[in-house]
């Protein structure tokens, strides 16, 4: 999964994390989220096509900072 | 469609979102002058900007171009149809100006909904009290469109759409 963090006026921080690693860290604290991410991984190709370039999650703060999570 | 009706739609949608021309320009990486020209009807945005523009206002490209609000909900498939192309789009606009956009495949929402109807990934956010079992039930019956629209007393706006992606 690709995470992009952009703080206004600062360089953009991009992170690519293996899905398995995210699932591993989440499965105790948030089993529902871990299950969801595992399911996303299984259907990655199809879901990416359906998303058509849109992020899974996008948060834009009032200050203009942006956090995006893509598959 | 002519530039004038497009410009009227653009102004209406921008004001509904509480954005300035400069805000729109910044989000689309264009100059504020370009946005001003669109709103005056002097020019039309490049076709590559239509989808980002529609996303920015939380409407479809069709609504952006036609200026007509879509019917709130419609039934697209008989019960038990293929749900693998249904996306649930959650839009949260907080009073403070923060915006959250979530695009989740329906099957993921279904997998994450607990027996209490809460989406297990919603945390303590503004969607924590929404009963997703009801939404799942509606989508399974083939209902798509704007399923939830809530304006909380704090001024947060939550909208949930079910959309069939082709």
């Amino acid at each position: 999964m690709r995470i992009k963090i952009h703080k206004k006026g600062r360089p953009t921080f991009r992170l690519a994390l293996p899905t398995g690693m995210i699932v591993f860290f989440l499965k105790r604290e948030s089993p529902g989220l871990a299950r969801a991410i595992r399911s996303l991984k299984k259907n990655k190709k199809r879901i990416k096509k359906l998303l058509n370039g849109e992020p899974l999650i996008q948060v834009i703060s009032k200050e203009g900072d942006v956090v995006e999570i893509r598959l | 469609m002519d530039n004038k009706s497009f410009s009227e739609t653009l102004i209406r949608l921008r004001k509904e979102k509480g954005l300035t021309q400069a805000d729109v320009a910044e989000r689309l990486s264009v100059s504020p002058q370009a946005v001003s020209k669109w709103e005056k009807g002097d020019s039309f945005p490049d076709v590559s900007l239509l989808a980002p523009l529609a996303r920015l206002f939380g409407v479809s490209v069709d609504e952006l171009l036609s200026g007509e609000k879509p019917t709130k909900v419609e039934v697209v498939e008989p019960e038990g149809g293929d749900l693998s192309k249904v996306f649930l789009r959650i839009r949260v606009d907080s009073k403070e100006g923060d915006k959250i956009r979530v695009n989740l495949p329906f099957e993921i929402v279904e997998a994450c909904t607990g027996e209490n109807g809460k989406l297990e990934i919603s945390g303590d956010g503004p969607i924590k009290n929404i009963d997703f079992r009801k939404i799942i039930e509606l989508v399974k019956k083939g209902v798509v469109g704007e399923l939830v629209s809530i304006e909380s007393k704090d001024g947060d706006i939550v909208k949930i759409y079910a959309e069939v992606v082709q």
Side-chain angles (χ1 to χ4, degrees), chain A residues 32 46 55-56 58 60 62, chain B residues 96 98-99 101 103 120:
Chain A
R46 185 174 59 79
L56 271 176
Q58 184 184 51
I60 305 168
K62 61 175 185 285
Chain B
E96 289 79 25
D98 302 329
K99 296 177 193 310
R101 305 286 179 258
N103 302 306
E120 288 182 37

Side-chain angles (χ1 to χ4, degrees), chain B residues 71-83 85-89 106 134-148 160-164:
Chain B
T71 316
K72 289 260 178 193
V73 292
E74 57 177 316
V75 177
V76 292
E77 287 176 350
E79 201 167 341
D82 178 21
L83 297 170
K85 289 185 177 173
V86 177
F87 263 67
L88 220 58
R89 302 193 188 278
F106 177 73
K134 296 239 168 25
I135 293 174
I136 290 169
E137 209 175 292
L138 282 173
V139 175
K140 280 186 171 171
K141 284 181 178 164
V143 181
V144 294
E146 189 180 297
L147 303 180
V148 175
I160 300 180
Y161 306 85
E163 194 179 305
V164 181

Side-chain angles (χ1 to χ4, degrees), chain B residues 33-79:
Chain B
Q33 290 82 359
V35 180
S36 170
K37 280 184 179 176
W38 302 341
E39 292 195 356
K40 283 181 190 162
D42 292 344
S43 69
F44 194 79
D46 186 82
V47 72
S48 64
L49 291 171
L50 291 178
L53 202 52
R55 271 201 299 276
L56 178 63
F57 296 134
V59 298
S60 65
V61 174
D62 190 41
E63 185 185 344
L64 182 69
L65 294 175
S66 68
E68 289 167 13
K69 289 190 176 182
T71 316
K72 289 260 178 193
V73 292
E74 57 177 316
V75 177
V76 292
E77 287 176 350
E79 201 167 341

Side-chain angles (χ1 to χ4, degrees), chain A residues 12-13 17 20 22 28 30 34 40-41 44 49 54 62:
Chain A
T12 302
F13 178 67
L17 280 178
I22 298 173
R28 183 185 284 179
S30 183
L40 286 172
K41 185 187 175 189
K44 186 176 175 176
K49 200 176 160 193
E54 284 184 65
K62 61 175 185 285

Side-chain angles (χ1 to χ4, degrees), chain A residues 8 30-33 35-37 39-40 43 46-47 49-52 54-64, chain B residues 26-27 55 84-87 89 91 96-105 107-108 111-113 120-121 165-166:
Chain A
K8 215 174 170 188
S30 183
L33 184 55
R35 200 163 57 237
I37 293 174
S39 176
L40 286 172
N43 301 290
R46 185 174 59 79
I47 293 170
K49 200 176 160 193
L50 292 173
L51 277 166
N52 197 22
E54 284 184 65
L56 271 176
I57 297 172
Q58 184 184 51
V59 180
I60 305 168
S61 78
K62 61 175 185 285
E63 291 86 10
Chain B
E26 192 186 326
R27 303 275 174 85
R55 271 201 299 276
S84 65
K85 289 185 177 173
V86 177
F87 263 67
R89 302 193 188 278
R91 307 276 177 263
E96 289 79 25
D98 302 329
K99 296 177 193 310
I100 302 169
R101 305 286 179 258
V102 179
N103 302 306
L104 281 179
E107 54 209 283
I108 305 296
C112 293
T113 302
E120 288 182 37
I121 58 174
V165 183
Q166 298 305 325

